[in-house]
Amino acid sequence: MSSDSPPPSADTLQKWMEGVETLFRLLVETFRRGTWVKRLLLIDALILFGLNPGVAEKISSTMLGGTGTLPDWYSQAFGVALGAVFVAALVVAVRSLPRLQPEAADAKERKTIKGLRPFTKDDAEIFARLQRQRELQECLEVVTSKEFRFGILVGESGCGKTSFLQAGLLPQLSTPEATHRAIYVKFSDRPPITTITQAVVEQLSLTAKPAWDSDLLAMLSEVTAGISQPLVLLFDQFEQFFVHYKQTGDREPFIQAVTELYHSNLPVKVLVCMRGDLSDRLIELYKALNYSPSPYEMVPLKKFSPEQATRVLQVIAETEHLEIDERFVMELAEQELASREDGLISPVDVQILAWMIERQNTAELRAFNRVAFQKFGGVEGLLTRFLERSLEARVTTTQRQTTVKVLLALTDLDRQVRAGALTVGEMQQKLQGAVNEEEIREAIAWLSRSEVRLVTVVERSTERGYELSHERLIPALMRLAGKELSEADRANQLLDRRVNEWLGNQRHRRYVFNWRELRSLKQQQPFLVWGGNRRAKEQLIRQSRRWLYGWVGSGAALLLVLTTYYAWLWFTPWGQMQQVRWELTKVSAQVDDSSAGDAVVALAKDDHWQQALMILEKEIGDPGPKAFALSEMAKVALAFKGETSVTKAKSLLTEAFTAAKIIDDLIIKAPTFSNIASAAAKLNNAALAKSSLAEALTAAKMTKQPGGKALAFGRIALTAAKLNDTTIAKSLLKEVLAVAKTIEEPSSKVQAFRNIALAAAKLNDAALAKSSLAEALTAAKTINESDFRSVAFSYIALAAARLNNTAIAKSSLTEALTAAKTIDIDESFFNVTAFSNIASAAAKLNNTAIAKLSLTKAFTVAMTIDDRAFKASMFSDIALAAAKLNNTAIAKSWLIETLIVAKTIDEPASKADAFRAIADAYIELKDTASAKAILQQAWELAVPTKSSDTLGSIATTYAKLGNWERAIQIAQYCEANDKISALSQILTLHAEQQNPALVKLREAEEREQEEEN
């Protein structure tokens, strides 16, 4: 075997060649587009590694066939060259830094002529003379009033909003005598909460805490606790927030923070300063705050009138020692400076005019008179000529175009606003290599000079940024860019660059033109220079069109699929119900176990068992709600035909029994086992029913609360009657009877014996039924309170009517009426309830006269209620009672009265709830037209209140009308528990439409519930 190393593999050679190619490309790119600093440093590195004496000796001896001995001067020359190139790089780097010192000196020299820069706090004295006294006083009165919390300062670009804040409001609110303390906050591309925090810390001389950058409310709470004056936050250039946070989700955290601040009790006020043409973006903030600005809170900052502009120029002339012809200046302001649309003058135009006059070299031109003005050239296109004149100082075409490109990089042309403060690196990245770093730095240094002032330097914590001086420059800049950088030139540059990239990368589709580029090329087609690459350029354009058409076709197909899907999802009942199922699954994780149980039962009725069981296992841990949901699901399963449904019901009941065994709360345990027994009886599962009732009875015996105990015994009795095994049922019933006799509280005792009587009647045990009613009557007679006594006798009358025991029914009805008449008139609720129950009992006994009289009496009592919301609620209940007694005419007349009362309710949520109850009553009366009209009013009233339970009830009522889309839409406004309740009812109503057996199940449960009550 040879000891020589094996030859390198193909992969190794390929990687080596790719590495060499990458290095070569880096070197070439640095020489082509890098700054002179980078170029010199690269040359220095090449000298160091490629021409050092050691390498030079090897080259001399091996490649050139020399002796390998270098001349004596070589080492010395090598050191000198290496040092000289390094020093040259250092000198270039230092000279590339912008010089800012002259700007500060100039700012001290001229106080009234700012050009495009705003006045600052230091200029407050001179600013007070510049025609903003009235607006300043009005604004101060607004922000310092007790009622003010949030307001907007709006004005056109160039009307002096920043100067107004910095040199007007801020100084006035920073004096020791001021009742408020202002904090000036300039918005930019930085995170807004960080920007506010930094401004507060700097201007109040505080020490920042790390948590403040993420919690605006906490920061302001701590800050305001340490000062005696309310804070006024002056948010300047607020449009920058929307420029730099384009997505709604990106803006949400800060808007939420402002909302919390607005609704807090902190002594903090906010004045937002924004361009008038962008102020509609504030609607998003208004909605979050639930705020609508009044004229008092909308502070307009208008441009100058010709008289004001004249007086401002007089102050400038006086301060800067310039000659002025006041009559001519007034004429100039009216005829030349004033806008044709509104006759007003932008303050920035006044400043630029003054600036240009002051910059003239001769005393003859440095004057505000007709001679100087005529020689100066007039006002038309003032800003455009101002830019043109500024750029004349750029000697070469390359310098001018570089300067324009840098200014464009600092502009968001789509929105015609400033792009914020950008670093040199960010500008280079935005210009995509069209200008190198050295050229950008040179242009920035010139643009930020005091005699130019087109760019403002912004000092950041770690680096320096640059910003366009004023947005008023943008229209002029765009016109100037059209002259300096023609569309045809840009199109030709694009075509040449892209075709070379395309050919150099094996015609890869990554380099094809997009739609906008193709459109630009088509517009400039007569001016395109094809050259020797004409065929390749035409092929690239054709391939780009093919790819574009392919993408358009694919996009159209995808759009069609998505449109079809969303049309199905939003405009068909099946799609709408699918939304409900998804939402129930999502919200179930956010609610209590009982509410999650509602979702489980609704999904079972909707025949989505897998989804229901998943929520049951994942979200419901409490054994009480779990056992109840399982037993309800078992009942639901019987509404679906087939052996599978029966098997499923049995399995669910067994699981429910196991869960119920570990319930601790006896008040819940007894009815839960009764519910399981009821479901088992429907399944003919006598063993499970019997054991469930035994568990229910044990829990009921241990219950100490009389009401809960009576209700439990009544349910056990009624459930026992459902068992097909009469012997077992009677045995359980006697046991319940024995325990019921031990109840001491009379009203609870009445309820227990009443239900025992009903259960005995179902078992055809007339003797037990009669004796139980007798026990109930005896207990009722011992009740002292008129209201409870009347209710008890009306319940007995209802039970007796169901048992066809006319004698007891009539006597009980008489007792109920007698007791009801003695109820204190102030006990309106009990009065109405008592007479409604009497009416129901009378109807069961076919005593129409007493039924009608009782309802009329209930209505008369309800008329005396002072609380209008409660009054409307009572009216609705009475009307529903009349409807159930088949007295439609009276029901409708009373609903009209109810509507009259409901309209007088002041509280919006209560008013909406009253309207919803009336709509429900009209649905019971089969009057859907009236129901829809009234429900629409309820919805309009409820939306601003954000009352979750009211909205949930309205959503359910819309579902009763079959308006699924509106029902689902309204349910989304509810909080989690109310949302899941509403959605569960919506899904249940839809399921009942699909499966009539579910309607029968509900009606049977309603009858059982009526018996228990």
Side-chain angles (χ1 to χ4, degrees):
M1 182 179 291
S2 172
S3 61
D4 294 337
S5 300
S9 64
D11 289 341
T12 303
L13 286 173
Q14 184 175 356
K15 289 180 181 179
W16 180 81
M17 291 176 66
E18 287 175 355
V20 173
E21 181 184 7
T22 302
L23 178 61
F24 182 74
R25 284 179 176 275
L26 177 63
L27 295 174
V28 172
E29 188 65 22
T30 301
F31 274 109
R32 286 183 59 193
R33 298 189 179 275
T35 64
W36 272 109
V37 175
K38 289 183 178 179
R39 291 170 183 167
L40 290 170
L41 289 175
L42 180 59
I43 292 171
D44 216 27
L46 292 175
I47 293 172
L48 176 63
F49 294 105
L51 297 178
N52 66 70
V55 173
E57 286 178 356
K58 289 184 179 180
I59 293 174
S60 175
S61 61
T62 57
M63 299 181 64
L64 301 179
T67 61
T69 303
L70 298 175
D72 295 336
W73 54 263
Y74 187 88
S75 296
Q76 187 176 0
F78 169 78
V80 171
L82 191 67
V85 174
F86 181 79
V87 170
L90 184 63
V91 170
V92 171
V94 171
R95 290 176 62 85
S96 298
L97 293 174
R99 299 175 183 176
L100 303 176
Q101 292 80 1
E103 181 182 349
D106 187 74
K108 293 180 180 178
E109 293 169 7
R110 287 202 297 261
K111 287 290 186 182
T112 53
I113 299 180
K114 294 289 183 178
L116 296 173
R117 304 293 177 82
F119 287 86
T120 65
K121 187 177 180 180
D122 296 334
D123 303 312
E125 182 179 352
I126 194 68
F127 185 80
R129 302 174 59 194
L130 299 182
Q131 301 301 305
R132 288 300 191 195
Q133 299 94 326
R134 183 178 58 81
E135 291 93 338
L136 182 58
Q137 186 60 38
E138 288 177 357
C139 191
L140 281 169
E141 290 175 359
V142 169
V143 299
T144 57
S145 67
K146 292 182 179 179
E147 298 78 15
F148 180 82
R149 287 282 292 165
F150 185 93
I152 305 97
L153 176 68
V154 292
E156 292 182 14
S157 177
C159 73
K161 299 184 293 297
T162 298
S163 296
F164 184 84
L165 292 181
Q166 290 192 136
L169 270 184
L170 187 60
Q172 291 283 347
L173 296 175
S174 300
T175 63
E177 301 80 27
T179 59
H180 291 62
R181 179 63 189 269
I183 300 294
Y184 175 81
V185 183
K186 180 180 178 182
F187 277 71
S188 63
D189 55 333
R190 300 186 67 200
I193 295 180
T194 302
T195 301
I196 296 170
T197 300
Q198 184 175 347
V200 170
V201 168
E202 290 177 356
Q203 294 173 45
L204 294 181
S205 301
L206 302 175
T207 302
K209 297 182 180 180
W212 287 2
D213 279 346
S214 59
D215 194 336
L216 179 64
L217 196 63
M219 182 272 291
L220 290 173
S221 296
E222 292 190 45
V223 170
T224 53
I227 60 175
S228 59
Q229 303 154 298
L231 279 183
V232 181
L233 300 180
L234 307 176
F235 287 176
D236 192 17
Q237 297 184 23
F238 193 68
E239 62 271 10
Q240 292 291 322
F241 171 66
F242 295 97
V243 170
H244 295 288
Y245 292 85
K246 297 179 176 62
Q247 302 296 324
T248 304
D250 295 338
R251 294 192 295 269
E252 187 175 348
F254 179 66
I255 289 179
Q256 178 63 33
V258 175
T259 304
E260 291 174 359
L261 172 62
Y262 180 77
H263 292 293
S264 72
N265 294 323
L266 293 180
V268 179
K269 305 178 180 186
V270 175
L271 181 66
V272 168
C273 179
M274 197 163 182
R275 275 173 48 177
D277 57 333
L278 297 176
S279 60
D280 59 327
R281 302 297 300 272
L282 288 172
I283 292 174
E284 181 180 356
L285 185 58
Y286 294 163
K287 289 181 178 178
L289 299 179
N290 194 21
Y291 162 85
S292 179
S294 66
Y296 168 78
E297 294 166 321
M298 183 76 74
V299 182
L301 191 63
K302 298 181 179 179
K303 296 184 291 186
F304 289 147
S305 66
E307 293 80 7
Q308 288 177 311
T310 301
R311 285 195 286 271
V312 169
L313 287 172
Q314 288 171 353
V315 173
I316 291 174
E318 175 188 343
T319 307
E320 302 295 338
H321 308 293
L322 301 174
E323 182 183 341
I324 184 169
D325 181 345
E326 295 177 7
R327 181 178 298 179
F328 166 74
V329 169
M330 185 66 185
E331 179 187 331
L332 171 69
E334 290 176 341
Q335 298 180 7
E336 298 288 342
L337 292 177
S339 167
R340 295 179 182 177
E341 287 78 17
D342 55 14
L344 300 177
I345 301 163
S346 173
V348 75
D349 289 346
V350 173
Q351 277 289 322
I352 291 174
L353 176 64
W355 189 8
M356 294 177 70
I357 289 290
E358 197 278 336
R359 288 178 63 192
Q360 301 308 305
N361 296 324
T362 63
E364 181 185 16
L365 293 179
R366 295 181 72 253
F368 293 100
N369 56 37
R370 192 177 304 277
V371 174
F373 182 76
Q374 289 174 345
K375 292 184 178 180
F376 182 68
V379 175
E380 184 180 358
L382 180 64
L383 285 169
T384 302
R385 290 198 304 278
F386 166 70
L387 274 177
E388 288 175 343
R389 183 166 181 177
S390 297
L391 289 174
E392 285 176 3
R394 309 298 280 160
V395 180
T396 67
T397 302
T398 302
Q399 284 182 324
R400 286 197 301 273
Q401 290 188 351
T402 298
T403 305
V404 171
K405 288 174 183 177
V406 168
L407 290 172
L408 290 173
L410 295 173
T411 307
D412 186 332
L413 295 175
D414 291 336
R415 296 172 178 81
Q416 293 198 28
V417 295
R418 283 176 282 198
L422 302 181
T423 64
V424 171
E426 288 168 341
M427 280 186 273
Q428 189 176 18
Q429 184 178 6
K430 189 171 181 181
L431 291 170
Q432 298 180 351
V435 182
N436 63 42
E437 182 180 344
E438 183 184 355
E439 291 171 333
I440 292 174
R441 288 191 182 278
E442 190 276 334
I444 283 291
W446 182 83
L447 287 166
S448 58
R449 285 164 61 176
S450 60
E451 64 270 26
V452 181
R453 299 191 189 207
L454 293 175
V455 166
T456 300
V457 180
V458 179
E459 295 292 346
R460 294 181 173 178
S461 57
T462 57
E463 54 190 344
R464 176 175 290 174
Y466 303 91
E467 185 178 48
L468 195 67
S469 292
H470 206 285
E471 286 170 351
R472 287 280 294 176
L473 284 170
I474 293 173
L477 176 61
M478 293 177 68
R479 287 192 293 271
L480 187 62
K483 297 179 181 178
E484 294 290 340
L485 306 172
S486 70
E487 288 292 333
D489 288 340
R490 285 196 289 272
N492 276 299
Q493 290 172 8
L494 172 67
L495 185 58
D496 288 335
R497 184 180 75 252
R498 193 64 60 79
V499 77
N500 289 328
E501 292 173 341
W502 182 60
L503 293 173
N505 289 275
Q506 291 76 47
R507 301 174 186 257
H508 197 280
R509 62 173 177 266
R510 181 175 60 185
Y511 297 95
V512 299
F513 296 111
N514 59 35
W515 173 82
R516 183 177 295 178
E517 291 167 340
L518 283 173
R519 182 170 175 269
S520 175
L521 291 173
K522 184 176 181 180
Q523 290 175 339
Q524 303 301 325
Q525 190 169 357
F527 311 104
L528 293 179
V529 179
W530 298 97
N533 271 344
R534 183 184 184 97
R535 188 171 181 180
K537 291 177 180 178
E538 290 175 340
Q539 287 178 348
L540 176 57
I541 292 173
R542 282 197 300 270
Q543 185 170 327
S544 300
R545 286 173 179 163
R546 282 199 298 269
W547 274 103
L548 178 62
Y549 296 153
W551 276 109
V552 169
S554 301
L558 179 61
L559 182 62
L560 179 62
V561 171
L562 291 174
T563 302
T564 304
Y565 170 71
Y566 281 106
W568 170 82
L569 191 64
W570 289 102
F571 301 111
T572 68
W574 302 277
Q576 290 159 355
M577 288 308 113
Q578 183 58 51
Q579 290 183 67
V580 173
R581 296 179 198 113
W582 288 337
E583 193 69 14
L584 282 175
T585 302
K586 183 176 76 173
V587 181
S588 293
Q590 306 168 14
V591 298
D592 56 60
D593 287 0
S594 295
S595 297
D598 293 340
V600 167
V601 175
L603 287 164
K605 290 178 179 178
D606 189 49
D607 202 18
H608 279 72
W609 293 91
Q610 186 176 358
Q611 199 170 347
L613 290 170
M614 181 191 73
I615 295 174
L616 184 77
E617 293 302 320
K618 186 177 179 181
E619 307 298 346
I620 304 179
D622 190 328
K626 189 169 189 176
F628 183 81
L630 286 165
S631 60
E632 288 297 304
M633 291 170 72
K635 293 178 186 177
V636 170
L638 295 177
F640 296 91
K641 297 178 181 179
E643 289 293 328
T644 307
S645 296
V646 176
T647 305
K648 184 186 294 180
K650 289 180 179 179
S651 173
L652 290 166
L653 273 184
T654 303
E655 194 176 345
F657 186 88
T658 303
K661 290 278 283 185
I662 60 175
I663 297 175
D664 293 326
D665 191 336
L666 298 173
I667 296 294
I668 296 174
K669 192 168 188 174
T672 301
F673 271 116
S674 294
N675 200 42
I676 295 170
S678 176
K682 292 179 180 179
L683 277 171
N684 297 319
N685 190 338
L688 181 59
K690 182 180 177 181
S691 57
S692 297
L693 281 177
E695 292 281 354
L697 190 60
T698 302
K701 289 177 183 177
M702 297 169 65
T703 303
K704 294 180 180 180
Q705 184 183 345
K709 199 167 192 173
L711 184 61
F713 287 153
R715 283 178 175 168
I716 293 167
L718 290 170
T719 306
K722 296 175 186 176
L723 296 178
N724 293 329
D725 191 330
T726 307
T727 305
I728 294 174
K730 286 185 176 182
S731 173
L732 285 168
L733 203 59
K734 287 178 181 178
E735 192 173 354
V736 172
L737 181 66
V739 178
K741 289 180 179 180
T742 65
I743 298 174
E744 295 178 2
E745 203 276 317
S747 295
S748 299
K749 198 166 189 174
V750 168
Q751 189 174 20
F753 277 110
R754 168 188 172 275
N755 287 344
I756 291 170
L758 290 172
K762 288 187 177 182
L763 293 171
N764 297 317
D765 191 337
L768 180 57
K770 188 174 181 180
S771 65
S772 297
L773 276 182
E775 290 277 5
L777 278 169
T778 302
K781 289 175 182 178
T782 65
I783 300 173
N784 294 323
E785 297 88 350
S786 298
D787 44 10
F788 288 114
R789 185 184 179 92
S790 176
V791 170
F793 274 114
S794 64
Y795 280 165
I796 295 170
L798 279 168
R802 292 194 186 104
L803 300 176
N804 296 318
N805 194 327
T806 308
I808 293 179
K810 287 184 176 180
S811 65
S812 299
L813 203 59
T814 303
E815 291 278 2
L817 273 169
T818 302
K821 290 175 182 177
T822 64
I823 298 174
D824 190 339
I825 194 66
D826 293 331
E827 298 290 339
S828 305
F829 173 76
F830 293 107
N831 256 299
V832 172
T833 304
F835 282 115
S836 296
N837 286 335
I838 292 167
S840 298
K844 291 285 184 182
L845 294 169
N846 295 319
N847 194 331
T848 310
I850 292 181
K852 185 176 180 181
L853 179 65
S854 299
L855 280 180
T856 304
K857 183 65 175 174
F859 192 82
T860 304
V861 173
M863 286 289 289
T864 65
I865 300 172
D866 292 327
D867 187 325
R868 284 174 283 189
F870 184 48
K871 188 174 187 176
S873 175
M874 289 292 97
F875 279 176
S876 296
D877 291 343
I878 296 166
L880 279 172
K884 289 178 180 177
L885 298 179
N886 296 320
N887 203 331
T888 306
I890 290 179
K892 285 192 174 182
S893 68
W894 282 344
L895 279 178
I896 292 171
E897 293 286 342
T898 307
L899 188 60
I900 292 171
V901 173
K903 288 179 179 178
T904 65
I905 298 172
D906 295 325
E907 207 279 311
S910 300
K911 191 172 186 177
D913 202 49
F915 274 67
R916 190 271 314 157
I918 296 168
D920 268 334
Y922 272 114
I923 292 173
E924 289 287 335
L925 295 172
K926 312 297 182 187
D927 187 348
T928 55
S930 298
K932 287 178 180 177
I934 294 170
L935 192 59
Q936 176 64 28
Q937 295 179 61
W939 160 235
E940 291 170 356
L941 285 166
V943 169
T945 70
K946 298 182 180 179
S947 175
S948 184
D949 55 343
T950 301
L951 289 166
S953 300
I954 292 172
T956 303
T957 305
Y958 266 112
K960 291 177 183 176
L961 292 170
N963 191 338
W964 311 111
E965 182 181 359
R966 176 61 65 86
I968 296 167
Q969 175 193 4
I970 296 172
Q972 299 303 322
Y973 288 87
C974 300
E975 294 175 0
N977 281 319
D978 293 317
K979 179 188 285 190
I980 207 165
S981 175
L983 292 174
S984 297
Q985 292 182 67
I986 291 168
L987 192 61
T988 297
L989 288 167
H990 184 266
E992 288 179 353
Q993 281 191 1
Q994 309 304 311
N995 186 356
L998 291 171
V999 179
K1000 293 181 180 179
L1001 174 65
R1002 175 174 53 80
E1003 290 173 348
E1005 289 180 342
E1006 287 173 353
R1007 285 193 298 271
E1008 292 173 5
Q1009 188 68 31
E1010 188 180 347
E1011 286 181 355
E1012 290 180 17
N1013 296 333

